[in-house]
Amino acid sequence: MDKKNLVMFLAIMAILVALSYVNMFGEGAELVRKGKPIIREAFSDTDYKMEITNDGLLVKFASHVANEYEGEFLAVYAYDADGNHVMKMKRVVNGNIAINKDEMPSFVASFEGNVIKDIEKAEQSLRFLEILQDAEREGRNFGVERCLMGKRCIAICPAAAIEVLIRDDESNGRIIPEIDYDKCIEGGLCASRCPTDLIVT
Ligand code: SF4
């Protein structure tokens, strides 16, 4: 390489390095203190209605929820007689979630205290609608919730400020992440990874 080409090469390299530095700085700036992560309020009775038909369960969402979640997944859940959280994950379509009477649940979570200990795929023999109707009859918690239990918030947090999912006994037994605000650095990654915006900043 002659001297002229070498100078040109070095100039291009210097520009590339400068651009990548600007890019890194920009990304870094985005991560800096996005604010305190907040767990959103549980859905209320005015957010949806459940209807049991001959075909199964129909969850009809109010327009503000339907608009937010159209095409996205939410979870319908009910507690079984052993205190396990039984969940069916389904997409909102035309403002509704429809669960056929023969559909099995997606996951069954068991607890130690109010902390989720295990999350397992549901057995094929289980029928979600039967478990929900049983919960309703026996006065156990059931409803619609945002947490899909994929634990993305736990996996992404660089400060280990979210380590477990817990049962929120004050909100009908829905599942929420437990955020340790003493460890939280307010970088906002948990909120950015939560697929349902249960965590926001
Ligand atoms: S990222 Fe959101 S949906 Fe997934 S486990 Fe955490 S709170 Fe639940």
Side-chain angles (χ1 to χ4, degrees), residues 89-103:
M89 199 166 86
K90 284 222 83 170
R91 218 181 266 281
V92 178
V93 177
N94 296 329
N96 303 321
I97 281 179
I99 299 174
N100 187 284
K101 62 181 179 349
D102 296 325
E103 283 185 64

Side-chain angles (χ1 to χ4, degrees), residues 32-152:
V32 172
R33 297 190 77 81
K34 277 199 160 177
K36 185 176 175 177
I38 306 290
I39 306 289
R40 285 171 75 182
E41 295 279 310
F43 289 123
S44 73
D45 290 347
T46 57
D47 289 332
Y48 67 89
K49 295 272 175 275
M50 284 184 173
E51 243 179 58
I52 293 174
T53 67
N54 287 340
D55 294 331
L57 174 71
L58 191 64
V59 183
K60 296 179 167 181
F61 290 100
S63 56
H64 63 282
V65 183
N67 289 342
E68 180 177 356
Y69 287 101
E70 182 63 29
E72 305 292 333
F73 283 96
L74 283 174
V76 186
Y77 71 98
Y79 280 83
D80 71 12
D82 297 324
N84 297 317
H85 175 280
V86 183
M87 183 264 256
K88 181 72 185 173
M89 199 166 86
K90 284 222 83 170
R91 218 181 266 281
V92 178
V93 177
N94 296 329
N96 303 321
I97 281 179
I99 299 174
N100 187 284
K101 62 181 179 349
D102 296 325
E103 283 185 64
M104 54 186 277
S106 308
F107 299 105
V108 178
S110 57
F111 297 86
E112 216 162 71
N114 71 335
V115 174
I116 287 190
K117 185 179 63 176
D118 279 317
I119 301 172
E120 288 180 354
K121 274 198 99 176
E123 285 171 26
Q124 288 203 344
S125 58
L126 294 177
R127 295 289 166 264
F128 181 74
L129 184 58
E130 284 174 18
I131 294 164
L132 186 134
Q133 285 181 296
D134 199 39
E136 185 180 25
R137 231 181 351 257
E138 302 295 328
R140 295 192 293 269
N141 283 326
F142 65 95
V144 179
E145 64 186 345
R146 291 182 175 87
C147 188
L148 305 179
M149 302 194 295
K151 299 186 178 178
R152 290 182 182 185

Side-chain angles (χ1 to χ4, degrees), residues 13-25:
M13 288 305 290
I15 290 168
L16 288 176
V17 168
L19 283 175
S20 72
Y21 177 78
V22 168
N23 194 31
M24 274 168 56
F25 183 77

